[in-house]
Amino acid sequence: MIFRENGRKPIFIIALFLSFVLSLLILQRKHDLSLLTDADHTKHAAKKPATSAKEVALLDSEQIKLPVASIKALQNETLGFEKVYVINLPKRTDKLDAIRLSASVTGFNFDVIQGQNGADMSPKALPGPFNDGPQRDAIVGCWRSHMQAAHTIVNNRLSSALIFEDDADWDVSFRMQLLRFATGSQWLLDTPPGSTPHSPYGDDWDLLWLGHCALAPIETDSRRVVLQNDPSTTPFKHRFNLGAIPDMTIYDNTTRVVYASDGGTCLYAYALSYRGAQKILFHLSMSYYHQPVDFGIHDMCHDHSRNFRCIGVFPQMVDSHRGAGSSSKDSDISKGEEQDRKKGFSYNIVRSTRLNVGHLISGEMDKIESQWPGEVPEMEGGVKISFREKLEG
């Protein structure tokens, strides 16, 4: 288990000594290594997700000032969380195969939360009268699937877990994105300078909302961690969202922001702490509830009396993928007009891992493709990170 205090001083001393030795080795090699590009990072992470001297050089160039222990934790096979889960209906083996392959080339592992069929659930197990309609069973099944994820965290007493839906996709630079996000979340969570939080994302959070289709900031909290010069940021005209988002008109086309969130829509990827999972189960399962699950999690963030602390990012780092073939297989909740796609696509992801998985398997990093070739400019000098107490303009 990671991030848990056990009070054993010998273990702490050994860990401190090993960290010191690792730091010396990195500094010795750092001078003769060039900066790691996002694509190079993905290649190395898929083989061995550990902190290299090249990665440290890139972190220095971007002024990522995370504790060594946080950087090391973020490079593990669960992306700095105690567990990673994917929600998947047993009948959708196609989706499970695709996300398993994507995770393998990104260098992380996950366990499966079995998705639930709402039609199989007893009405007595529901916390409220979900409205009848053509999508009722799918909505109920989706709600219970996410409750099962929270239940699993509490049952296993996990410090944290990252939860994906099985159609999720992310940029080939996902691991570097997480390092930048963690830099922002630690600052927003008031991590004291020089200290090492138990979680590499900071302490005292309930939910980290990484993948969504809209995510509003808290109006009374104008703090922003601004990530400029980010080549993985979706260009303005290709951003697709279904609700309130931060005002991005004050930034350029290559800027991403990390902020305290007032709630959002869609649950493509999010992390829960142990405490956050407890609160989800209490408010959305034990208490009266009868809405789609993302509505409920939005309300958890929005209703500040529930003391549910949410940190988010925009543009989102994870979104949904629509594969080649019939569009009828896109969603297990809603059915739209059926179309036949020659090529798949992902919303809001520049260099889709799923669309580049063949290149990643083959190590063809020079062939990584953008969904919008020529629209994302080549940038030098790394992402520029700034911490702002108030909005500009």
Side-chain angles (χ1 to χ4, degrees), residues 42-260:
T42 303
K43 179 180 178 181
H44 292 298
K47 292 181 178 180
K48 184 181 180 183
T51 306
S52 69
K54 283 188 176 183
E55 290 169 309
V56 172
L58 180 60
L59 299 185
D60 284 351
S61 74
E62 295 189 1
Q63 297 184 335
I64 292 178
K65 302 300 183 184
L66 288 173
V68 172
S70 293
I71 295 173
K72 185 176 180 180
L74 286 159
Q75 296 301 301
N76 68 22
E77 291 191 342
T78 51
L79 303 173
F81 303 97
E82 193 162 352
K83 280 282 191 178
V84 179
Y85 292 109
V86 168
I87 296 173
N88 171 256
L89 284 168
K91 66 181 181 180
R92 294 308 303 265
T93 55
D94 58 323
K95 289 188 174 184
L96 184 58
D97 285 349
I99 197 167
R100 181 70 73 182
L101 189 56
S102 294
S104 74
V105 298
T106 310
F108 71 88
N109 294 323
F110 64 79
D111 293 333
V112 176
I113 298 288
Q114 182 171 306
Q116 304 296 305
N117 186 338
D120 296 335
M121 292 194 62
S122 167
K124 294 181 180 180
L126 304 181
F130 284 79
N131 294 330
D132 290 330
Q135 296 183 2
R136 178 187 181 279
D137 289 344
I139 290 172
V140 169
C142 183
W143 162 81
R144 185 56 224 172
S145 299
H146 285 275
M147 292 305 99
Q148 196 62 35
H151 173 97
T152 301
I153 293 169
V154 174
N155 182 58
N156 292 294
R157 300 193 67 83
L158 301 177
S159 59
S160 64
L162 177 60
I163 302 153
F164 289 98
E165 293 187 330
D166 60 8
D167 58 352
D169 192 15
W170 49 86
D171 196 272
V172 298
S173 64
F174 188 50
R175 281 184 169 274
M176 284 305 302
Q177 288 180 332
L178 287 174
L179 283 163
R180 297 165 188 143
F181 176 83
T183 301
S185 60
Q186 284 201 21
W187 183 76
L188 290 166
L189 293 164
D190 301 317
T191 303
S195 67
T196 300
H198 297 106
S199 164
Y201 297 94
D203 295 329
D204 199 32
W205 56 269
D206 294 293
L207 181 143
L208 306 176
W209 212 324
L210 304 178
H212 51 81
C213 53
L215 195 67
I218 296 176
E219 290 186 2
T220 56
D221 189 342
S222 59
R223 295 175 303 157
R224 299 287 186 273
V225 180
V226 181
L227 312 177
Q228 296 174 294
N229 206 40
D230 184 350
S232 68
T233 302
T234 309
F236 281 121
K237 70 178 183 179
H238 295 294
R239 295 176 188 176
F240 179 78
N241 293 279
L242 300 172
I245 58 175
D247 177 12
M248 300 299 289
T249 61
I250 57 179
Y251 307 113
D252 64 24
N253 202 35
T254 60
T255 297
R256 177 175 269 117
V257 292
V258 183
Y259 52 95

Side-chain angles (χ1 to χ4, degrees), residues 357-390:
V357 72
H359 298 314
L360 292 167
I361 291 172
S362 301
E364 299 171 328
M365 310 312 296
D366 58 328
K367 296 183 179 180
I368 296 296
E369 300 176 6
S370 168
Q371 290 203 90
W372 307 288
E375 297 187 38
V376 179
E378 293 293 331
M379 286 169 275
E380 298 180 356
V383 175
K384 297 177 175 62
I385 302 176
S386 57
F387 307 91
R388 305 181 184 179
E389 295 285 352
K390 61 182 180 178

Side-chain angles (χ1 to χ4, degrees), residues 209-320:
W209 212 324
L210 304 178
H212 51 81
C213 53
L215 195 67
I218 296 176
E219 290 186 2
T220 56
D221 189 342
S222 59
R223 295 175 303 157
R224 299 287 186 273
V225 180
V226 181
L227 312 177
Q228 296 174 294
N229 206 40
D230 184 350
S232 68
T233 302
T234 309
F236 281 121
K237 70 178 183 179
H238 295 294
R239 295 176 188 176
F240 179 78
N241 293 279
L242 300 172
I245 58 175
D247 177 12
M248 300 299 289
T249 61
I250 57 179
Y251 307 113
D252 64 24
N253 202 35
T254 60
T255 297
R256 177 175 269 117
V257 292
V258 183
Y259 52 95
S261 172
D262 202 38
T265 309
C266 304
L267 297 169
Y268 303 128
Y270 63 100
L272 289 175
S273 65
Y274 178 77
R275 183 188 65 184
Q278 287 180 310
K279 293 175 183 179
I280 290 287
L281 283 180
F282 174 68
H283 287 285
L284 304 187
S285 183
M286 281 187 65
S287 304
Y288 184 83
Y289 185 74
H290 59 94
Q291 297 290 328
V293 64
D294 57 339
F295 289 14
I297 293 181
H298 167 278
D299 292 345
M300 292 291 295
C301 299
H302 180 71
D303 184 351
H304 300 165
S305 68
R306 295 180 178 182
N307 191 30
F308 192 78
R309 198 167 188 180
C310 304
I311 303 294
V313 59
F314 187 85
Q316 49 270 71
M317 290 159 45
V318 180
D319 212 304
S320 61

